[in-house]
Amino acid sequence: MATKPRRKIKGLPSRLIKLFFKLIIYFLLISIAWVGLLAFVPPPITATMIIDANGITKDWEPLESISPNLTRAVIAAEDSKFCSHDGFDREAIRTAIKRNAQGGRIRGGSTISQQTAKNVFLWQGGGYFRKGLEAYFTFLIEKIWGKKRIMEVYLNVAETGIGTYGAQAGAQRYFKKDASELTKMEAARIAAALPLPKKRAVNGASGFTRRYGNTIAARINVVKRDGLDACVYK
């Protein structure tokens, strides 16, 4: 039995191309509007919080209600060039690539801006697609939010412990005080635990975490003296 020849659907490739470009335009418009809204409104929740099986403890605080010690501690620990780069520390990225090429534990070169973009708009984990989106959102928040807002959001959404998010929740959990009252050592201990908040202890830390916290505490004065926090405290 002879089969009927299939009819070609005229214009299908052009339709797909048009649909593709429409989706890109919609994504750009929605993402820019989303970032613009969060320049004024606290992020209600993040993907990391949603999938956290330990629950969520968080309490938004404006930057003025968070101790400068914590701001300077995270700059000292996470991103000493925070005020001078455009969202990307290219030297740190090149260094991370070289180290990763040598094998061993994978190291990142993410700035505070990149971490904020990932924490607020995306999900944890790697992959080139997610890294590409991270770069895009980092560009947007640098242009739309500015450094002060980026720091404010970062300090409020960063995971500071198991099921604990933000400076205020961390300060209350570990030190039974408001984030505005954190001492240099307390701020340094929180900053030391930020890369691995589920594994590194804030109270009773020992070994590397304790030594790292002491190093961060000593750097807090350097951050203030050298104006490495000038974009936050003008």
Side-chain angles (χ1 to χ4, degrees):
M1 181 177 177
T3 58
K4 295 181 179 180
R6 294 182 180 180
R7 296 178 59 186
K8 294 183 179 180
I9 301 176
K10 295 181 179 180
L12 184 57
S14 61
R15 290 178 185 176
L16 290 176
I17 292 173
K18 288 180 181 179
L19 177 60
F20 177 72
F21 279 106
K22 281 184 179 180
L23 291 175
I24 290 179
I25 292 172
Y26 290 151
F27 170 74
L28 292 175
L29 292 175
I30 292 172
S31 60
I32 292 171
W34 189 10
V35 173
L37 177 64
L38 295 186
F40 307 98
V41 178
I45 199 166
T46 68
T48 304
M49 296 176 188
I50 292 173
I51 64 175
D52 195 333
N54 300 292
I56 305 170
T57 301
K58 65 185 181 71
D59 188 2
W60 178 275
E61 289 291 338
L63 188 63
E64 293 74 16
S65 298
I66 299 174
S67 172
N69 288 326
L70 185 57
T71 300
R72 291 166 184 147
V74 298
I75 289 175
E78 300 286 304
D79 188 0
S80 62
K81 298 179 182 178
F82 175 69
C83 285
S84 59
H85 62 58
D86 60 356
F88 305 94
D89 186 344
R90 290 160 181 80
E91 183 180 351
I93 292 172
R94 286 193 294 268
T95 301
I97 292 173
K98 290 180 180 178
R99 288 179 176 175
N100 294 338
Q102 296 172 359
R105 184 171 64 88
I106 299 297
R107 300 169 184 266
S110 295
T111 63
I112 286 175
S113 300
Q114 288 175 274
Q115 293 177 49
T116 304
K118 177 184 67 176
N119 289 341
V120 175
F121 300 102
L122 303 170
W123 59 93
Q124 303 297 319
Y128 290 111
F129 178 69
R130 201 229 66 193
K131 293 297 289 184
L133 289 176
E134 179 185 300
Y136 170 70
F137 280 106
T138 298
F139 172 81
L140 286 186
I141 65 176
E142 281 280 339
K143 297 299 182 183
I144 298 175
W145 291 4
K147 297 291 187 179
K148 187 173 182 179
R149 178 62 173 176
I150 290 172
M151 180 60 72
E152 181 176 54
V153 174
Y154 176 74
L155 292 178
N156 275 284
V157 303
E159 189 177 6
T160 50
I162 298 176
T164 307
Y165 294 85
Q168 179 67 7
Q172 289 288 344
R173 173 175 179 167
Y174 300 117
F175 306 111
K176 310 301 180 185
K177 61 171 60 175
D178 289 337
S180 61
E181 301 172 345
L182 289 171
T183 66
K184 292 177 182 177
M185 184 55 69
E186 290 166 347
R189 289 178 180 175
I190 291 177
L194 280 179
L196 295 169
K198 286 184 171 65
K199 297 181 179 180
R200 292 183 181 178
V202 173
N203 285 335
S206 60
F208 170 80
T209 305
R210 184 180 184 86
R211 294 192 301 271
Y212 187 35
N214 292 338
T215 300
I216 294 171
R219 290 177 181 171
I220 288 176
N221 289 333
V222 177
V223 171
K224 182 179 180 180
R225 183 197 67 196
D226 294 350
L228 301 181
D229 59 349
C231 60
V232 181
Y233 302 111
K234 295 181 180 178

